Amino acid sequence: MKIKEKATELSSVQLIVLFYFAAVALSTVLLSLPIAHQANVEWSFIDALFTAVSAISVTGLTVVSTADTFSTTGTYILAFVLQFGGIGIMTLGTFVWLLMGKKIGMKERQLISTDQNRGTLAGLVSLMRQILGLILLFEAIGTIILGIYLLKYYDAWQDAFLQGFFASVSATTNAGFDITGSSLIPYANDYFVQSINMILLILGAIGFPVLIELKDYLFQKKETVAYRFTLFTKVTTVTFFALILIGTALIWILEAGNFLADKSWDQSLFYSLFQSVTTRNGGLATMDVSEFTLSTQLVLSLLMFIGASPS
């Protein structure tokens, strides 16, 4: 009872921080389970903690090779942990509350509002449903497309779909993790894999408000008046794609006499385009960025500073 009373005394921001610490603790425990690792793998508490924090904050930094460390079960556990950061603690929490038949009261709505940076309490439960539905839909479609396509690279369909599933989750949540052992470098000349990943990266980075408005536009009833996008969505979309184009152009120009000097036009385009898309918040790579000049690395740093679209 005292714990419950203490919890009610905390502000929404304090509770959100507490929930994220709890998510880190849970994720650390899950990633430390013996079934999560391959045989004879050395795995310390600090490794598990760092990986959990990196996954929940969708940073993509690792101190171990995920491909050589995690078992198939561990890969699925890591993909689950990525959802905390990609979808959000309160979105997942709302889903659990609804499954349990719990009424979403004022306190819960305040938590959702804080987590999603919303200025109103109206329509929050519907918003959570839409966010969860959209993200899971993107991940499912990405898994199917990549899983089927990657059959050309893997003998067993289980391996192809595991790679497709994790790549889809990692790209959609903008997590930057991989289970290939070398990000997307094995697909440096496979433009289909790169294109699917870029689409998922963009869908995960452009922001939930934009995605929800796009959904409303696509599924509006024909007899209603013409749909009008909000100023937020217009400015966000134009800025988002303008930065992609500017980044692509700058990388291509700056590397024309260096990394891209011996590349064909299509290779130059995709190297530049993919790096422009993923640098903002994706964390994936089709080449070693240390091969870029200092000027290009400065451009990449600026794009990373700007980041993805706010929600």
Side-chain angles (χ1 to χ4, degrees), residues 7 9 15 33 35 38 47 49 54 61 78 89 106 119 133 149 196 198 200 221 225 237 241 246 253 255 288-289:
E9 294 175 1
L15 281 172
L33 295 174
I35 59 172
Q38 298 183 25
D47 292 335
L49 178 61
S54 181
L61 298 175
L78 181 58
I89 295 291
M106 183 62 68
Y149 183 80
I196 296 299
M198 282 191 287
L200 293 174
K221 295 180 181 180
V225 296
T237 304
F241 286 101
I246 292 171
I253 292 171
E255 292 299 320
D288 184 354
V289 294

Side-chain angles (χ1 to χ4, degrees), residues 12-253:
S12 298
V13 174
Q14 290 171 326
L15 281 172
I16 292 292
V17 173
L18 185 62
F19 286 161
Y20 273 95
F21 274 112
V24 168
L26 173 62
S27 301
T28 301
V29 171
L30 292 175
L31 293 173
S32 298
L33 295 174
I35 59 172
H37 315 131
Q38 298 183 25
N40 302 318
V41 167
E42 293 185 5
W43 183 250
S44 65
F45 169 78
I46 194 65
D47 292 335
L49 178 61
F50 185 92
T51 304
V53 172
S54 181
I56 290 176
S57 60
V58 288
T59 305
L61 298 175
T62 59
V63 291
V64 297
S65 169
T66 53
D68 299 326
T69 300
F70 294 108
S71 62
T72 300
T73 302
T75 300
Y76 284 115
I77 291 175
L78 181 58
F80 169 72
V81 174
L82 295 180
Q83 305 290 7
F84 282 127
I87 297 178
I89 295 291
M90 293 315 303
T91 304
L92 293 175
T94 303
F95 178 66
V96 173
W97 284 334
L98 293 174
L99 285 180
M100 296 172 61
K102 179 179 173 60
K103 182 180 179 180
I104 310 299
M106 183 62 68
K107 187 64 177 180
E108 288 82 5
R109 292 175 188 273
Q110 289 175 342
L111 290 172
I112 296 170
S113 177
T114 301
D115 188 50
Q116 292 296 321
N117 194 29
R118 305 281 289 189
T120 176
L121 298 180
L124 290 177
V125 177
S126 175
L127 174 67
M128 294 300 97
R129 288 198 185 102
Q130 292 184 75
I131 290 174
L132 183 65
L134 286 172
I135 293 300
L136 293 182
L137 176 64
F138 297 152
E139 292 178 352
I141 293 175
T143 298
I144 294 171
I145 294 175
L146 288 175
I148 293 174
Y149 183 80
L150 292 177
L151 289 171
K152 65 184 288 187
Y153 290 100
Y154 297 91
D155 296 329
W157 68 268
Q158 295 93 333
D159 294 334
F161 273 87
L162 178 62
Q163 290 284 342
F165 164 73
F166 193 87
S168 179
V169 171
S170 181
T172 305
T173 59
N174 284 191
F177 282 79
D178 70 87
I179 55 172
T180 65
S182 51
S183 195
L184 293 184
I185 292 177
Y187 309 111
N189 295 312
D190 192 319
Y191 301 150
F192 182 81
V193 172
Q194 291 184 47
S195 296
I196 296 299
N197 274 274
M198 282 191 287
I199 291 173
L200 293 174
L201 286 168
I202 290 172
L203 290 174
I206 200 168
F208 296 130
V210 175
L211 295 177
I212 290 174
E213 283 197 36
L214 180 60
K215 176 191 70 69
D216 292 340
Y217 169 75
L218 293 175
F219 293 98
Q220 66 175 326
K221 295 180 181 180
K222 294 183 179 180
E223 62 270 16
T224 58
V225 296
Y227 189 87
R228 295 179 65 86
F229 289 102
T230 63
L231 179 61
F232 174 87
T233 292
K234 292 177 182 178
V235 173
T236 297
T237 304
V238 171
T239 305
F240 189 93
F241 286 101
L243 284 169
I244 290 178
L245 294 176
I246 292 171
T248 301
L250 288 175
I251 294 170
W252 198 339
I253 292 171

Side-chain angles (χ1 to χ4, degrees), residues 245-296:
L245 294 176
I246 292 171
T248 301
L250 288 175
I251 294 170
W252 198 339
I253 292 171
L254 293 173
E255 292 299 320
N258 187 54
F259 178 77
L260 302 177
D262 59 343
K263 306 294 190 297
S264 62
W265 72 268
D266 54 310
Q267 289 177 313
S268 298
L269 172 62
F270 269 87
Y271 274 122
S272 303
L273 178 60
F274 190 88
Q275 285 306 130
S276 180
V277 171
T278 190
T279 300
R280 296 262 302 285
N281 205 43
L284 298 172
T286 56
M287 46 81 66
D288 184 354
V289 294
S290 67
E291 297 184 48
F292 279 159
T293 61
L294 290 177
S295 298
T296 304

